[in-house]
Amino acid sequence: MKKRIAILGSTGSIGTQTLEVIAQNPTHFEVEVLTANNNIELLIEQAKRFQPNVVVITNNCHYEILKEALQGEPIKIYAGKEALEQVVQMDTIDVVVTAMVGYSGLIPTCNAIRAGKHIALANKETMVVAGEIINQLAIEHKVNIYPVDSEHSAIFQCLVGEFNNEVEKIYLTASGGPFRGYTPEQLAIVTKADALKHPNWNMGAKITIDSASMMNKGFEVIEAKWLFGLKAEQIDVVVHPQSIVGSIVQFRDGSMKAQMGLPDMKLPIQYALSFPQRLTSEFKRFNFLDYPKLTFEQANTKNFRNLALAFEALNQGGNMPCILNAANEMVVQAFLSDRISFLQMPEIIEIVMGKATYIKNPNLDDYIQTDREIRILTSAMVKNRAIQKI
Ligand code: NDP
Ligand code: MG
């Protein structure tokens, strides 16, 4: 039986690579749902090629054009955020790939789990915002969450076959991004264009900025806590500029297992879809002679404050990671539109974390409310800082 896949965010970096994996494995997978936010040209092209049952465009303005372009195709077309939240519950879906960016992933993921769909989770922000709720829902509805994030896929692969063997620690590797080794003086003047040049990965704009600022690694620490049931002190970050070692698990006897390979998101995507099987692939193979030196260094939380702030949010728990995420989404947007500088991003996030209303045991409504409030608070702060910048 082919697995029927819904891809939320099919026009993005993860979405398009998921479609490549599906195209290469037509006997294993088929596309059931495709969704995008604005990019209708690509969505139309994908729909014609992969013939899903349903497509959703979340931005309503594009509905008419999409409908017209797909006239005559046996494809149902829906528009709006609510459509996305509902479509994940369709009987004909086996797995939902959450490849949309940011907080927008939360409600569709909750709904998909409630409808009993397994999740291939790329949208790490969902776990950052509400990891505890997602885990509870997954247990309640007997749903598996397969990590797509490469570091978490690496950990997951190291854990296969270990049954109840206790994990002492995990090491998430970080490339260090384009500004590895930069001084605060250098970081103060980096531009958006500099930050968008990632040395090893080609990703969407938001995660590329998060990688440059190390917030991405901070989010991954929080994501790992929930995916693997770890305490903050069991999670460490090590900078590994070559991105060959995916990540490492250290067991209670001191043995360490690492997953390795060339950086290519198609591998973790394929594994998340095919688990427990490994499918044959044509992905480029690693050659030891191309990499005579694999290096490791300590992450610099002094210059890259976001990583320290993420650990702080993790330790505080409650709605603090949700606060961290909402503030980060707003400052990244502001940085991408040249309203604030690179170092103003962590500065604003830290102030917002100090000012926000803390909730110790939040429910889903509290998270929704927190996200809304923090966006308002952060955008006011951004306005102030933007004026200072001028
Ligand atoms: P992209 O920006 O490339 O793609 C995002 C996708 O989500 C697009 O299809 C976009 O549609 C859609 N989208 C954007 N905003 C919304 C919204 N408000 N509602 C619904 N859909 C929306 O992002 P990436 O593919 O790089 O990242 C996706 C997720 O995967 C992120 O959470 C990221 O952290 C995670 N991830 C990504 C990795 C990577 O290598 N790229 C690696 C590990 C994790 P449109 O094109 O129409 O705007
Ligand atoms: Mg990652």
Side-chain angles (χ1 to χ4, degrees):
M1 277 271 280
K2 285 187 194 180
K3 273 189 196 156
R4 297 161 298 179
I5 318 276
I7 308 174
L8 312 186
S10 64
T11 50
S13 158
I14 294 291
T16 50
Q17 293 181 85
T18 304
L19 284 171
E20 281 182 55
V21 167
I22 293 174
Q24 282 157 17
N25 297 281
T27 54
H28 291 91
F29 311 119
E30 67 186 334
V31 179
E32 187 62 17
V33 176
L34 294 175
T35 85
N37 194 35
N38 278 312
N39 190 348
I40 39 168
E41 289 81 16
L42 185 55
L43 185 63
I44 291 164
E45 191 186 311
Q46 292 177 340
K48 286 186 173 166
R49 176 165 173 215
F50 289 93
Q51 294 289 314
N53 189 354
V54 169
V55 296
V56 179
I57 186 83
T58 39
N59 186 343
N60 288 305
C61 317
H62 304 299
Y63 176 70
E64 289 302 330
I65 304 176
L66 184 62
K67 204 173 147 205
E68 200 172 310
L70 295 179
Q71 218 170 29
E73 305 278 354
I75 300 172
K76 296 182 201 76
I77 300 151
Y78 302 114
K81 205 165 127 263
E82 294 70 25
L84 176 69
E85 292 170 8
Q86 284 167 17
V87 91
V88 292
Q89 304 172 24
M90 277 166 43
D91 285 348
T92 47
I93 298 170
D94 298 312
V95 182
V96 173
V97 180
T98 64
M100 72 281 257
V101 65
Y103 175 85
S104 66
L106 179 63
I107 303 299
T109 307
C110 289
N111 287 358
I113 298 174
R114 285 197 194 97
K117 311 301 174 193
H118 296 300
I119 306 291
L121 185 120
N123 182 259
K124 67 191 87 188
E125 294 91 339
T126 292
M127 286 315 244
V128 172
V129 171
E132 195 166 16
I133 288 182
I134 296 294
N135 278 354
Q136 281 164 3
L137 282 174
I139 292 169
E140 206 177 304
H141 296 277
K142 300 189 176 54
V143 153
N144 295 330
I145 299 181
Y146 302 109
V148 167
D149 212 345
S150 60
E151 295 77 2
H152 305 74
S153 174
I155 302 287
F156 182 51
Q157 293 179 57
C158 293
L159 290 174
V160 170
E162 293 292 346
F163 306 102
N164 292 325
N165 284 327
E166 202 176 296
V167 170
E168 194 167 76
K169 199 168 185 165
I170 65 167
Y171 291 90
L172 298 176
T173 57
S175 71
F179 307 139
R180 183 173 62 91
Y182 274 36
T183 61
E185 293 71 33
Q186 287 173 306
L187 287 174
I189 52 166
V190 297
T191 64
K192 171 175 84 178
D194 299 329
L196 285 171
K197 274 184 235 137
H198 195 279
N200 302 346
W201 299 98
N202 188 5
M203 311 176 284
K206 194 248 175 189
I207 185 177
T208 306
I209 301 301
D210 286 347
S211 298
S213 72
M214 294 292 271
M215 184 56 94
N216 181 51
K217 211 46 59 179
F219 281 172
E220 290 180 356
V221 169
I222 301 174
E223 183 186 8
K225 175 200 161 74
W226 294 118
L227 283 176
F228 305 113
L230 300 169
K231 297 195 188 84
E233 53 275 22
Q234 290 177 288
I235 310 169
D236 219 334
V237 171
V238 61
V239 174
H240 167 49
Q242 299 80 21
S243 297
I244 296 299
V245 174
S247 277
I248 304 152
V249 179
Q250 181 175 308
F251 293 92
R252 68 168 165 185
D253 58 357
S255 178
M256 295 167 100
K257 273 167 88 173
Q259 183 269 349
M260 291 172 66
L262 288 173
D264 182 348
M265 283 310 296
K266 289 196 288 305
L267 206 149
I269 292 168
Q270 178 169 296
Y271 191 69
L273 295 180
S274 70
F275 177 84
Q277 234 188 319
R278 285 186 186 275
L279 303 179
T280 309
S281 90
E282 299 299 321
F283 307 146
K284 196 162 172 245
R285 276 18 180 191
F286 173 73
N287 180 344
F288 281 93
L289 304 182
D290 292 340
Y291 293 83
K293 236 190 205 163
L294 294 180
T295 60
F296 301 90
E297 51 194 79
Q298 200 170 12
N300 186 339
T301 48
K302 215 165 127 246
N303 292 357
F304 293 88
R305 286 286 303 145
N306 278 345
L307 188 54
L309 292 174
F311 269 104
E312 172 67 26
L314 177 59
N315 285 322
Q316 287 195 39
N319 65 341
M320 198 48 82
C322 174
I323 293 166
L324 177 83
N325 178 69
N328 183 60
E329 284 193 29
M330 297 305 285
V331 296
V332 169
Q333 247 178 45
F335 176 68
L336 280 172
S337 48
D338 295 316
R339 282 181 287 145
I340 57 169
S341 70
F342 190 75
L343 286 183
Q344 281 178 322
M345 291 196 286
E347 201 180 297
I348 294 173
I349 295 170
E350 188 161 13
I351 298 171
V352 171
M353 283 171 71
K355 283 190 172 191
T357 315
Y358 178 69
I359 305 172
K360 196 163 189 294
N361 293 307
N363 59 29
L364 192 55
D365 286 338
D366 293 324
Y367 285 127
I368 295 168
Q369 185 63 21
T370 298
D371 180 77
R372 209 174 285 143
E373 278 172 16
I374 297 303
R375 280 168 198 269
I376 296 167
L377 181 60
T378 314
S379 86
M381 301 259 335
V382 163
K383 241 187 210 154
N384 279 339
R385 300 285 143 154
I387 292 165
Q388 280 176 26
K389 196 185 163 205
I390 296 160

